[in-house]
mmCIF file with all atom_site columns, all heavy atoms in Angstrom:
data_model
loop_
_atom_site.group_PDB
_atom_site.id
_atom_site.type_symbol
_atom_site.label_atom_id
_atom_site.label_alt_id
_atom_site.label_comp_id
_atom_site.label_asym_id
_atom_site.label_entity_id
_atom_site.label_seq_id
_atom_site.pdbx_PDB_ins_code
_atom_site.Cartn_x
_atom_site.Cartn_y
_atom_site.Cartn_z
_atom_site.occupancy
_atom_site.B_iso_or_equiv
_atom_site.pdbx_formal_charge
_atom_site.auth_seq_id
_atom_site.auth_comp_id
_atom_site.auth_asym_id
_atom_site.auth_atom_id
_atom_site.pdbx_PDB_model_num
ATOM 1  N N   . SER N 1 260 ? -1.259  -13.025 9.364  1.00 82.00 ? 487 SER N N   1
ATOM 2  C CA  . SER N 1 260 ? -0.996  -13.739 8.122  1.00 82.00 ? 487 SER N CA  1
ATOM 3  C C   . SER N 1 260 ? -1.534  -15.168 8.172  1.00 82.00 ? 487 SER N C   1
ATOM 4  O O   . SER N 1 260 ? -2.066  -15.680 7.188  1.00 82.00 ? 487 SER N O   1
ATOM 5  C CB  . SER N 1 260 ? 0.503   -13.723 7.830  1.00 82.00 ? 487 SER N CB  1
ATOM 6  O OG  . SER N 1 260 ? 1.220   -14.078 8.989  1.00 82.00 ? 487 SER N OG  1
ATOM 7  N N   . VAL N 1 261 ? -1.379  -15.788 9.330  1.00 81.00 ? 488 VAL N N   1
ATOM 8  C CA  . VAL N 1 261 ? -1.868  -17.160 9.471  1.00 81.00 ? 488 VAL N CA  1
ATOM 9  C C   . VAL N 1 261 ? -3.392  -17.174 9.447  1.00 81.00 ? 488 VAL N C   1
ATOM 10 O O   . VAL N 1 261 ? -4.015  -18.030 8.819  1.00 81.00 ? 488 VAL N O   1
ATOM 11 C CB  . VAL N 1 261 ? -1.332  -17.808 10.760 1.00 81.00 ? 488 VAL N CB  1
ATOM 12 C CG1 . VAL N 1 261 ? -1.773  -19.251 10.855 1.00 81.00 ? 488 VAL N CG1 1
ATOM 13 C CG2 . VAL N 1 261 ? 0.183   -17.708 10.833 1.00 81.00 ? 488 VAL N CG2 1
ATOM 14 N N   . ARG N 1 262 ? -3.974  -16.173 10.111 1.00 83.00 ? 489 ARG N N   1
ATOM 15 C CA  . ARG N 1 262 ? -5.440  -16.068 10.106 1.00 83.00 ? 489 ARG N CA  1
ATOM 16 C C   . ARG N 1 262 ? -5.968  -15.904 8.697  1.00 83.00 ? 489 ARG N C   1
ATOM 17 O O   . ARG N 1 262 ? -6.969  -16.500 8.315  1.00 83.00 ? 489 ARG N O   1
ATOM 18 C CB  . ARG N 1 262 ? -5.877  -14.857 10.947 1.00 83.00 ? 489 ARG N CB  1
ATOM 19 C CG  . ARG N 1 262 ? -5.819  -15.099 12.446 1.00 83.00 ? 489 ARG N CG  1
ATOM 20 C CD  . ARG N 1 262 ? -7.219  -15.285 13.035 1.00 83.00 ? 489 ARG N CD  1
ATOM 21 N NE  . ARG N 1 262 ? -7.158  -16.145 14.222 1.00 83.00 ? 489 ARG N NE  1
ATOM 22 C CZ  . ARG N 1 262 ? -6.618  -15.784 15.368 1.00 83.00 ? 489 ARG N CZ  1
ATOM 23 N NH1 . ARG N 1 262 ? -6.082  -14.566 15.514 1.00 83.00 ? 489 ARG N NH1 1
ATOM 24 N NH2 . ARG N 1 262 ? -6.597  -16.609 16.403 1.00 83.00 ? 489 ARG N NH2 1
ATOM 25 N N   . ALA N 1 263 ? -5.225  -15.104 7.906  1.00 82.00 ? 490 ALA N N   1
ATOM 26 C CA  . ALA N 1 263 ? -5.662  -14.864 6.537  1.00 82.00 ? 490 ALA N CA  1
ATOM 27 C C   . ALA N 1 263 ? -5.686  -16.170 5.743  1.00 82.00 ? 490 ALA N C   1
ATOM 28 O O   . ALA N 1 263 ? -6.617  -16.441 4.984  1.00 82.00 ? 490 ALA N O   1
ATOM 29 C CB  . ALA N 1 263 ? -4.729  -13.853 5.869  1.00 82.00 ? 490 ALA N CB  1
ATOM 30 N N   . LEU N 1 264 ? -4.680  -16.990 5.973  1.00 82.00 ? 491 LEU N N   1
ATOM 31 C CA  . LEU N 1 264 ? -4.624  -18.285 5.292  1.00 82.00 ? 491 LEU N CA  1
ATOM 32 C C   . LEU N 1 264 ? -5.795  -19.166 5.734  1.00 82.00 ? 491 LEU N C   1
ATOM 33 O O   . LEU N 1 264 ? -6.374  -19.894 4.919  1.00 82.00 ? 491 LEU N O   1
ATOM 34 C CB  . LEU N 1 264 ? -3.307  -18.980 5.604  1.00 82.00 ? 491 LEU N CB  1
ATOM 35 C CG  . LEU N 1 264 ? -2.065  -18.364 4.953  1.00 82.00 ? 491 LEU N CG  1
ATOM 36 C CD1 . LEU N 1 264 ? -0.803  -18.928 5.575  1.00 82.00 ? 491 LEU N CD1 1
ATOM 37 C CD2 . LEU N 1 264 ? -2.079  -18.629 3.450  1.00 82.00 ? 491 LEU N CD2 1
ATOM 38 N N   . ALA N 1 265 ? -6.082  -19.079 7.011  1.00 80.00 ? 492 ALA N N   1
ATOM 39 C CA  . ALA N 1 265 ? -7.191  -19.871 7.532  1.00 80.00 ? 492 ALA N CA  1
ATOM 40 C C   . ALA N 1 265 ? -8.508  -19.399 6.900  1.00 80.00 ? 492 ALA N C   1
ATOM 41 O O   . ALA N 1 265 ? -9.361  -20.217 6.550  1.00 80.00 ? 492 ALA N O   1
ATOM 42 C CB  . ALA N 1 265 ? -7.249  -19.760 9.048  1.00 80.00 ? 492 ALA N CB  1
ATOM 43 N N   . ASP N 1 266 ? -8.645  -18.082 6.778  1.00 78.00 ? 493 ASP N N   1
ATOM 44 C CA  . ASP N 1 266 ? -9.870  -17.534 6.180  1.00 78.00 ? 493 ASP N CA  1
ATOM 45 C C   . ASP N 1 266 ? -10.037 -17.994 4.729  1.00 78.00 ? 493 ASP N C   1
ATOM 46 O O   . ASP N 1 266 ? -11.145 -18.214 4.261  1.00 78.00 ? 493 ASP N O   1
ATOM 47 C CB  . ASP N 1 266 ? -9.842  -15.992 6.240  1.00 78.00 ? 493 ASP N CB  1
ATOM 48 C CG  . ASP N 1 266 ? -9.989  -15.489 7.667  1.00 78.00 ? 493 ASP N CG  1
ATOM 49 O OD1 . ASP N 1 266 ? -10.428 -16.285 8.522  1.00 78.00 ? 493 ASP N OD1 1
ATOM 50 O OD2 . ASP N 1 266 ? -9.629  -14.332 7.922  1.00 78.00 ? 493 ASP N OD2 1
ATOM 51 N N   . LYS N 1 267 ? -8.908  -18.155 4.033  1.00 80.00 ? 494 LYS N N   1
ATOM 52 C CA  . LYS N 1 267 ? -8.968  -18.627 2.643  1.00 80.00 ? 494 LYS N CA  1
ATOM 53 C C   . LYS N 1 267 ? -9.203  -20.141 2.577  1.00 80.00 ? 494 LYS N C   1
ATOM 54 O O   . LYS N 1 267 ? -9.280  -20.716 1.510  1.00 80.00 ? 494 LYS N O   1
ATOM 55 C CB  . LYS N 1 267 ? -7.654  -18.295 1.922  1.00 80.00 ? 494 LYS N CB  1
ATOM 56 C CG  . LYS N 1 267 ? -7.455  -16.816 1.644  1.00 80.00 ? 494 LYS N CG  1
ATOM 57 C CD  . LYS N 1 267 ? -6.094  -16.580 1.005  1.00 80.00 ? 494 LYS N CD  1
ATOM 58 C CE  . LYS N 1 267 ? -5.732  -15.106 1.038  1.00 80.00 ? 494 LYS N CE  1
ATOM 59 N NZ  . LYS N 1 267 ? -4.283  -14.897 0.823  1.00 80.00 ? 494 LYS N NZ  1
ATOM 60 N N   . GLY N 1 268 ? -9.233  -20.789 3.760  1.00 77.00 ? 495 GLY N N   1
ATOM 61 C CA  . GLY N 1 268 ? -9.498  -22.225 3.783  1.00 77.00 ? 495 GLY N CA  1
ATOM 62 C C   . GLY N 1 268 ? -8.277  -23.067 3.459  1.00 77.00 ? 495 GLY N C   1
ATOM 63 O O   . GLY N 1 268 ? -8.380  -24.255 3.201  1.00 77.00 ? 495 GLY N O   1
ATOM 64 N N   . LEU N 1 269 ? -7.100  -22.444 3.474  1.00 80.00 ? 496 LEU N N   1
ATOM 65 C CA  . LEU N 1 269 ? -5.896  -23.194 3.138  1.00 80.00 ? 496 LEU N CA  1
ATOM 66 C C   . LEU N 1 269 ? -5.297  -23.897 4.348  1.00 80.00 ? 496 LEU N C   1
ATOM 67 O O   . LEU N 1 269 ? -4.650  -24.937 4.234  1.00 80.00 ? 496 LEU N O   1
ATOM 68 C CB  . LEU N 1 269 ? -4.843  -22.247 2.530  1.00 80.00 ? 496 LEU N CB  1
ATOM 69 C CG  . LEU N 1 269 ? -5.251  -21.686 1.156  1.00 80.00 ? 496 LEU N CG  1
ATOM 70 C CD1 . LEU N 1 269 ? -4.375  -20.522 0.763  1.00 80.00 ? 496 LEU N CD1 1
ATOM 71 C CD2 . LEU N 1 269 ? -5.163  -22.798 0.101  1.00 80.00 ? 496 LEU N CD2 1
ATOM 72 N N   . LEU N 1 270 ? -5.531  -23.286 5.520  1.00 79.00 ? 497 LEU N N   1
ATOM 73 C CA  . LEU N 1 270 ? -5.066  -23.895 6.765  1.00 79.00 ? 497 LEU N CA  1
ATOM 74 C C   . LEU N 1 270 ? -6.238  -23.990 7.719  1.00 79.00 ? 497 LEU N C   1
ATOM 75 O O   . LEU N 1 270 ? -7.263  -23.321 7.537  1.00 79.00 ? 497 LEU N O   1
ATOM 76 C CB  . LEU N 1 270 ? -3.981  -23.045 7.441  1.00 79.00 ? 497 LEU N CB  1
ATOM 77 C CG  . LEU N 1 270 ? -2.613  -23.016 6.796  1.00 79.00 ? 497 LEU N CG  1
ATOM 78 C CD1 . LEU N 1 270 ? -1.693  -22.084 7.577  1.00 79.00 ? 497 LEU N CD1 1
ATOM 79 C CD2 . LEU N 1 270 ? -2.002  -24.407 6.756  1.00 79.00 ? 497 LEU N CD2 1
ATOM 80 N N   . ARG N 1 271 ? -6.059  -24.824 8.699  1.00 81.00 ? 498 ARG N N   1
ATOM 81 C CA  . ARG N 1 271 ? -7.105  -24.976 9.693  1.00 81.00 ? 498 ARG N CA  1
ATOM 82 C C   . ARG N 1 271 ? -6.520  -24.650 11.074 1.00 81.00 ? 498 ARG N C   1
ATOM 83 O O   . ARG N 1 271 ? -5.436  -25.169 11.426 1.00 81.00 ? 498 ARG N O   1
ATOM 84 C CB  . ARG N 1 271 ? -7.609  -26.428 9.662  1.00 81.00 ? 498 ARG N CB  1
ATOM 85 C CG  . ARG N 1 271 ? -8.897  -26.686 10.372 1.00 81.00 ? 498 ARG N CG  1
ATOM 86 C CD  . ARG N 1 271 ? -9.556  -27.972 9.790  1.00 81.00 ? 498 ARG N CD  1
ATOM 87 N NE  . ARG N 1 271 ? -8.593  -29.056 9.664  1.00 81.00 ? 498 ARG N NE  1
ATOM 88 C CZ  . ARG N 1 271 ? -8.347  -29.948 10.644 1.00 81.00 ? 498 ARG N CZ  1
ATOM 89 N NH1 . ARG N 1 271 ? -9.001  -29.865 11.789 1.00 81.00 ? 498 ARG N NH1 1
ATOM 90 N NH2 . ARG N 1 271 ? -7.479  -30.913 10.465 1.00 81.00 ? 498 ARG N NH2 1
#
Side-chain angles (χ1 to χ4, degrees):
Chain N
S487 47
V488 184
R489 283 254 152 70
L491 289 167
D493 290 343
K494 289 177 194 162
L496 293 166
L497 287 178
R498 194 157 46 90

